[in-house]
Amino acid sequence: MYMKQSRYCIYICTFEGTFIRTFVRNKFRDISIHLLIKPEHVLAPVKTKVDLTIILQLSRPWRYFRLLMIIRACQLRILPATSQRVTDAVDALRRERIIAVPTDTLYGLAAGAHSDKSIRRLYAAKRRSETVPIAICVSDAKDVERYADTKHLAEGLLDELLPGPVTVLLSQKSSADLPSSLNPNSRLMGIRIPKSDFIRAVARQYGHALALTSANQSGSASTLDLNEFTELWDDCAFVFDGGRIVSGRVGSSIVDLSLPGTFSVQRRGDKYEDTRKTLMKFGLRQLPD
């Protein structure tokens, strides 16, 4: 419902754990917004539904109706990253759409890794050259061998590393069910299992690997909050809200495990030292960066 008097509009709506202040300001820079919420909603968990009274002051009142459409679209698109919403994410992936998801290090964009159309949509959303590799995400350590050669790895190594803030580089299997558009110029495949229940549940129910990359356009800063990548919302079927991610914004550590008995570090990311200690414990020798 809404009331309009002069240049003021009042709109009462329910959002599942997210606010649109920054998004609306990015779209309508001449709007003054005030969110009136109850004190108990200030620290409400992500899954809580919050009724917000949004008071909008527009310098051009006719734009209100377009804004109302955007607000309603946001309500449909932004969902909490909870177990009840896993099916929504999987349905979108099966329709070859992109979704935005929280991980243990950054917000990411995910698509079905076995779909050529999905991969191309992911590259287009990132404004990234299709020659730049994209990692895949699986639900459990046992799934890694479906896509990469793991015979040379010590038993238990992947189980101890994953899930966690690390991307492992391994040689891609020729039998892997992945399109040629995914990393066409690389013999290595980056594989992630974030320590994040939501994305792991999505990958498990989807039944295939996900193509996973950070939720930002190429060259822009990585993102820890929904409102930091509003320019990508229109590219996503759903944006799943996991709250603000507590991270150093450096992403996962990337380690090359493709050569027997050794590892090399391609990027020092979150909890790099923990990752290095685990690899050393399994007797792997570190090669120069």
Side-chain angles (χ1 to χ4, degrees), residues 257-268:
L257 301 180
S258 62
L259 299 178
T262 67
F263 73 94
S264 61
V265 179
Q266 306 300 308
R267 182 174 73 193
R268 300 189 181 201

Side-chain angles (χ1 to χ4, degrees), residues 53-213:
T53 301
I54 304 179
I55 300 178
L56 310 170
Q57 181 180 3
L58 288 74
S59 60
R60 286 173 282 177
W62 58 269
R63 301 183 72 190
Y64 171 71
F65 295 100
R66 184 179 169 214
L67 174 61
L68 183 59
M69 293 177 63
I70 289 177
I71 291 175
R72 287 177 174 167
C74 289
Q75 287 179 268
L76 295 174
R77 182 177 294 152
I78 303 173
L79 301 175
T82 60
S83 58
Q84 292 82 2
R85 294 298 186 178
V86 168
T87 298
D88 293 311
V90 172
D91 287 346
L93 293 170
R94 287 175 178 162
R95 288 186 283 112
E96 299 182 294
R97 297 294 303 280
I98 298 170
I99 59 174
V101 291
T103 74
D104 50 353
T105 57
L106 305 167
Y107 269 90
L109 299 178
H114 72 299
S115 164
D116 181 76
K117 183 177 181 180
S118 298
I119 297 301
R120 295 190 186 281
R121 279 181 165 172
L122 196 58
Y123 275 111
K126 286 280 291 185
R127 279 61 168 177
R128 170 184 279 186
S129 167
E130 294 185 6
T131 61
V132 179
I134 287 180
I136 65 170
C137 167
V138 295
S139 60
D140 300 285
K142 63 181 176 61
D143 297 321
V144 174
E145 65 180 19
R146 291 176 57 185
Y147 302 96
D149 181 10
T150 62
K151 293 180 180 179
H152 61 290
L153 299 179
E155 184 176 356
L157 172 59
L158 291 179
D159 292 298
E160 188 150 343
L161 273 180
L162 305 169
V166 57
T167 299
V168 296
L169 296 179
L170 292 165
S171 298
Q172 181 178 327
K173 279 186 173 179
S174 58
S175 59
D177 182 18
L178 297 170
S180 59
S181 57
L182 183 66
N183 308 334
N185 300 318
S186 177
R187 67 178 183 83
L188 300 182
M189 171 66 65
I191 302 179
R192 276 276 274 142
I193 306 179
K195 196 171 185 178
S196 169
D197 291 340
F198 181 75
I199 192 171
R200 293 182 66 198
V202 170
R204 189 175 296 116
Q205 186 170 320
Y206 182 58
H208 298 279
L210 310 178
L212 181 65
T213 185

